[in-house]
Amino acid sequence: MAGDRQAPPGPRANVKMVIDGQPHEFPAGLTILEACQRVGIVVPFFCWHPGLSAPAVCRQCLVEIKGFPKPIPSCYTPVADKMEISTNSPKVLDVRRQMLEFTLLNHPIDCPICDKAGECMLQKHYFDWDARFARNDGSKVRKAKVVDLGRHIVLDQERCILCTRCIRVCNEVARQADLVMAFRGDRQLLTVAPGRRLDNPYSLNTVDVCPVGALTAKDFRFSMRAWELWATPSVCPGCATGCNIEIHSARDVIRRLIPRPNPAVNKYWMCDEGRLTYRRVHQDRLVAPMVAGAPASWDAALGEAARLLASARDKSPSTLGVVLSTQMTNEDLFAFTRLAAEHLRTERVYLAGAPEGWCDDILVSADKNPNTTGAKLIGGLTLRTATDLKQDLETGVLTALLLVGEADAVGSLGSLQSLVVLTSHQGAPVAAAQVALPLAMWAEVDGSFTNRQGKVQRLHAAITPAGQARPGWAIAARLGQALGAAWRYANAKQVFSEACEKIMLMSGADWGKPEIPVQLRFANSRG
Amino acid sequence: MATVVKIVNRPAGWKRRSYLWGTMQGLGVTFGHLMRNWPRNLLGRRAQSDIVTLAYPEEKRPYPPRNRGLHRLMKRADGQVRCVACMMCPTACPAHCISIVPEESEDPRIEKRPRVFQIDELRCVVCGLCVEACPCDAIRMDTGIHAPPSTRRADAILDKEELLSRGELSVAVQAGEGLFWRERK
């Protein structure tokens, strides 16, 4: 990606230097700021971002270098041999305060109504390095408060500290020059480039990188304070890329998704479409098991489902089909594959999913299913496709179907004698089914997705499942028991370990350490 | 363990056996109090009597001067709610009795305001931390009104309209109102 500074080719020597009186050794090519971060020395900054280029405009990261007449921006200066740096001398602390005072000169201190309060870099740096009353008695320069920049973004020009991070996100990540700076001095302001709008598919990244609350997402604006949210690491279900995300939720409602840095997958970014996938978790959910269109208890619904499937299997296993979805987790897929093979004894296992969509060469992939790779690994070579399913439904080969997960490409279900549906949402399959069982969604379960690179990535349950919905592997285990299976699973980890044992290409995948939601009240700045 | 039976004989003598003498003694104490307190009460010198009870509801014991009472929401000059839904009070509240749903205001000088502002007076521990936390002088606990009794829990949850009905104009300066505060001398 454009933001990464590539190391120059050839052998690189290490440099020996002194930071705050301590000798250190770093590879050449590092900036002083990165070197300080490596050894745990805090140097405050606004405009620097690990995934973007460094223009050194905020001057907050100034450090003193022995022999240099003036403090030097550490984000811009590469380390050199025999350099002696001071990050906490009285002079450095003084210029740090002066720069902060300068930044705050025209900043409206409207933290009580600012969405960024609690995760704001300016707030944090002020309390860490200054924490004094303003010396400025004059009135502040007023700018526009609510500027509509694009589909997802609202700008408060007063709050902007002119760090240009958002401009660089547009230029370097989305590769569209949508934002520019206009005017000079204290009248300088951020605005859209003439004739453009901030409508690129990565526009919401500007909200994340904004060190203050100048850029706000229309979707999240004024709905929550940062410290009310709980963060859970997860993976975006929007496409096969599998961007690492943090689910921010409060009281069992997801409020936003933000990217979680992963240099191997999504760097620091994710697309706008992916960020809004959380909405579906709270829309049109199937909340209770249904038998013949009426709500029923889990025991009754499972019993009826098992009876339908068993009678179809006993009649003729070749007319019984199982449809799995590429939207499901590896654990769900494994449990259902096992159920189909051992207890339904059918070879007609189909793989369906969401249809293909748009893509680009940045992050978005055309395959809009998060776990296509995982489904193909677990299902093996015998998996039939959605086209086969459509054909088999039309020709009437299938008389009974177990439809698991969300699948838009399923053909007409009218010719079936019995239909058992496991799904998270209301819709046509639920209406047509004899038995419909509510399935928990990606944000509600522990599990894993395998992305297009073949990386097995963990999901963590952020919220409790809607209504009586349950994870797919648990439903598969209960169905299996009702069909006479001896196996049972206590948790998703057990299913995952078994999948790793049995599926060669998944061996060595790590379940990872358990993560519980962390309240952002204790999480400091996310910038 | 063997059960031990202890036999208590009835006391000897008619005085103790009939309990009459004991009853008379007790009534004597009561009558003595009556004789001491009744004339003082009649003469309006109740304070000098031994009576500690109050003739509620005609008489009420005054609350201490620092009594807080029910919450109220203060108003801006145009009667709008001062609250900007900054969530300081629910964050500070140890009883989690305040729930606010914010919304965007059409007025760009206000920007944010509460759509829903509810206080569960049954949960409230009357600590006053919400008032301490408020940066806008929007919430106060100075009405002195005791939380009214109710037969349903839902009745004890005060909504924005009810909290505003006791509100008054606050003279504290709020951001967005006119000039920078140091210039308002």
Side-chain angles (χ1 to χ4, degrees):
Chain A
M1 216 167 278
D4 300 327
R5 281 172 300 282
Q6 289 296 314
R12 297 182 347 164
N14 277 6
V15 296
K16 286 184 180 144
M17 55 190 290
V18 176
I19 304 180
D20 293 341
Q22 296 291 317
H24 293 287
E25 201 173 322
F26 300 106
L30 228 54
T31 63
I32 297 174
L33 182 64
E34 285 162 339
C36 288
Q37 285 176 342
R38 282 200 183 185
V39 294
I41 292 168
V42 179
V43 177
F45 56 85
F46 288 116
C47 69
W48 183 81
H49 189 282
L52 299 171
S53 60
V57 292
C58 76
R59 316 306 274 189
Q60 194 60 51
C61 64
L62 295 174
V63 293
E64 231 182 325
I65 304 174
K66 196 177 173 188
F68 279 57
K70 292 194 290 182
I72 299 294
S74 61
C75 67
Y76 198 64
T77 316
V79 289
D81 217 19
K82 297 180 192 134
M83 218 179 217
E84 281 181 43
I85 295 165
S86 169
T87 68
N88 57 7
S89 68
K91 190 176 173 190
V92 171
L93 292 180
D94 196 39
V95 292
R96 205 170 273 171
R97 272 200 203 99
Q98 283 173 18
M99 287 318 301
L100 210 50
E101 193 170 23
F102 200 34
T103 306
L104 280 163
L105 195 61
N106 286 313
H107 189 78
I109 317 290
D110 55 356
C111 307
I113 55 165
C114 177
D115 274 347
K116 205 78 173 188
E119 51 178 8
C120 171
M121 291 174 77
L122 185 55
Q123 266 186 336
K124 180 165 167 49
H125 290 341
Y126 169 75
F127 287 118
D128 285 355
W129 303 104
D130 192 6
R132 291 188 299 198
F133 284 106
R135 293 189 295 167
N136 168 34
D137 255 9
S139 56
K140 302 195 170 198
V141 177
R142 307 301 298 261
K143 294 174 193 167
K145 287 298 270 184
V146 188
V147 184
D148 190 344
L149 285 192
R151 214 167 32 226
H152 299 300
I153 311 281
V154 174
L155 166 69
D156 186 323
Q157 285 174 333
E158 275 188 348
R159 288 183 195 152
C160 176
I161 59 165
L162 311 169
C163 71
T164 71
R165 269 182 171 192
C166 50
I167 297 178
R168 280 172 284 142
V169 165
C170 290
N171 291 351
E172 296 168 17
V173 180
R175 297 182 214 140
Q176 291 188 33
D178 288 336
L179 293 174
V180 288
M181 285 291 171
F183 306 113
R184 303 290 300 268
D186 61 4
R187 313 275 149 172
Q188 188 178 1
L189 45 87
L190 176 71
T191 181
V192 283
R196 301 190 83 138
R197 303 247 304 154
L198 181 52
D199 278 342
N200 67 59
Y202 296 88
S203 67
L204 280 167
N205 288 307
T206 59
V207 177
D208 293 335
V209 300
C210 184
V212 292
L215 290 157
T216 49
K218 284 179 188 170
D219 183 54
F220 180 73
R221 190 173 157 83
F222 291 168
S223 63
M224 276 278 140
R225 305 314 302 275
W227 58 83
E228 294 180 87
L229 295 164
W230 294 73
T232 318
S234 189
V235 175
C236 176
C239 73
T241 308
C243 291
N244 291 208
I245 58 166
E246 249 175 35
I247 301 173
H248 287 183
S249 60
R251 292 180 283 280
D252 270 353
V253 178
I254 302 176
R255 295 294 179 164
R256 65 177 179 188
L257 306 180
I258 66 161
R260 185 160 51 94
N262 184 341
V265 180
N266 57 318
K267 307 261 163 50
Y268 303 88
W269 322 112
M270 71 186 284
C271 70
D272 294 356
E273 207 176 277
R275 280 176 204 259
L276 302 179
T277 48
Y278 79 88
R279 288 182 177 167
R280 239 179 105 61
V281 177
H282 299 302
Q283 278 170 356
D284 304 326
R285 291 295 298 273
L286 180 66
V287 290
M290 311 280 271
V291 174
S297 71
W298 264 107
D299 288 336
L302 280 167
E304 177 66 10
R307 192 187 63 77
L308 285 172
L309 294 173
S311 72
R313 172 195 63 189
D314 298 340
K315 217 183 283 169
S316 157
S318 61
T319 61
L320 170 63
V322 176
V323 183
L324 302 178
S325 165
T326 42
Q327 303 266 338
M328 294 157 67
T329 62
N330 286 328
E331 293 69 29
D332 295 5
L333 285 162
F334 181 78
F336 274 103
T337 317
R338 187 168 176 188
L339 182 78
E342 294 179 14
H343 297 285
L344 300 177
R345 295 195 292 277
T346 175
E347 281 171 7
R348 293 189 182 275
V349 180
Y350 304 88
L351 191 61
E356 288 208 341
W358 72 285
C359 65
D360 60 23
D361 59 346
I362 304 170
L363 283 178
V364 183
S365 53
D367 180 4
K368 296 298 171 196
N369 299 293
N371 203 17
T372 309
T373 316
K376 285 185 178 157
L377 285 185
I378 291 166
L381 296 169
T382 56
L383 274 183
R384 292 159 198 237
T385 62
T387 329
D388 297 339
L389 174 64
K390 217 168 227 172
Q391 228 168 40
D392 288 352
L393 281 170
E394 272 166 21
T395 51
V397 176
L398 292 171
T399 57
L401 198 63
L402 171 61
L403 182 58
V404 187
E406 286 185 79
D408 301 338
V410 177
S412 111
L413 300 164
S415 61
L416 292 168
Q417 282 168 15
S418 44
L419 174 63
V420 176
V421 172
L422 272 85
T423 185
S424 48
H425 285 81
Q426 300 279 3
V430 174
Q434 272 90 28
V435 181
L437 303 171
L439 196 62
M441 283 185 79
W442 57 278
E444 300 163 341
V445 296
D446 287 329
S448 62
F449 283 150
T450 309
N451 78 348
R452 62 180 175 187
Q453 298 159 291
K455 286 185 188 301
V456 179
Q457 305 191 98
R458 266 302 299 284
L459 307 166
H460 296 271
I463 56 175
T464 49
Q468 299 175 44
R470 289 199 188 167
W473 58 265
I475 302 174
R478 289 282 302 271
L479 264 179
Q481 281 162 36
L483 290 167
W487 45 273
R488 51 186 66 213
Y489 297 114
N491 51 44
K493 187 180 178 181
Q494 220 178 329
V495 191
F496 182 80
S497 316
E498 202 176 304
C500 291
E501 269 171 37
K502 294 208 174 148
I503 290 154
M504 201 179 61
L505 286 165
M506 270 180 82
S507 65
D510 184 20
W511 181 250
K513 64 183 195 309
E515 299 264 9
I516 53 164
V518 180
Q519 194 172 17
L520 291 191
R521 185 179 290 198
F522 309 110
N524 254 331
S525 169
R526 320 292 295 171
Chain B
M1 201 172 106
T3 312
V4 179
V5 179
K6 187 183 174 192
I7 296 168
V8 181
N9 291 321
R10 299 192 67 171
W14 69 272
K15 260 189 187 172
R16 298 187 67 185
R17 196 169 274 200
S18 69
Y19 297 105
L20 199 62
W21 182 242
T23 309
M24 300 278 279
Q25 272 184 318
L27 282 173
V29 172
T30 309
F31 195 68
H33 278 293
L34 178 68
M35 286 287 99
R36 262 202 310 284
N37 291 330
W38 186 35
R40 285 177 192 166
N41 205 15
L42 278 184
L43 292 169
R45 292 185 191 161
R46 191 178 166 125
Q48 293 163 16
S49 72
D50 298 339
I51 301 172
V52 291
T53 54
L54 290 177
Y56 190 85
E58 287 80 16
E59 279 177 62
K60 281 170 186 157
R61 190 179 294 279
Y63 280 118
R66 293 195 303 168
N67 170 48
R68 295 195 174 101
L70 288 185
H71 303 79
R72 60 174 177 159
L73 284 176
M74 304 301 282
K75 291 174 179 169
R76 293 170 193 263
D78 58 356
Q80 283 193 69
V81 64
R82 279 180 75 86
C83 173
V84 295
C86 71
M87 302 285 173
M88 292 295 151
C89 51
T91 304
C93 180
H96 301 301
C97 72
I98 308 176
S99 42
I100 301 174
V101 179
E103 67 173 354
E104 191 156 2
S105 163
E106 302 85 45
D107 188 344
R109 295 190 317 162
I110 296 173
E111 286 202 77
K112 199 177 174 189
R113 68 180 176 202
R115 179 162 61 79
V116 175
F117 195 115
Q118 287 182 334
I119 298 182
D120 188 344
E121 294 289 351
L122 286 177
R123 278 194 176 190
C124 176
V125 293
V126 211
C127 65
L129 283 179
C130 51
V131 184
E132 298 280 320
C134 184
C136 308
D137 187 28
I139 189 168
R140 286 195 191 172
M141 292 186 79
D142 56 357
T143 56
I145 302 170
H146 199 282
S150 53
T151 51
R152 291 187 309 150
R153 278 170 190 274
D155 291 344
I157 299 173
L158 305 185
D159 61 3
K160 192 170 94 176
E161 281 65 41
E162 195 165 354
L163 291 163
L164 266 175
S165 69
R166 285 187 281 275
E168 291 163 15
L169 171 70
S170 166
V171 293
V173 175
Q174 197 161 21
E177 282 178 8
L179 299 168
F180 192 51
W181 63 275
R182 292 193 193 199
E183 293 167 18
R184 283 173 70 109
K185 282 169 193 151

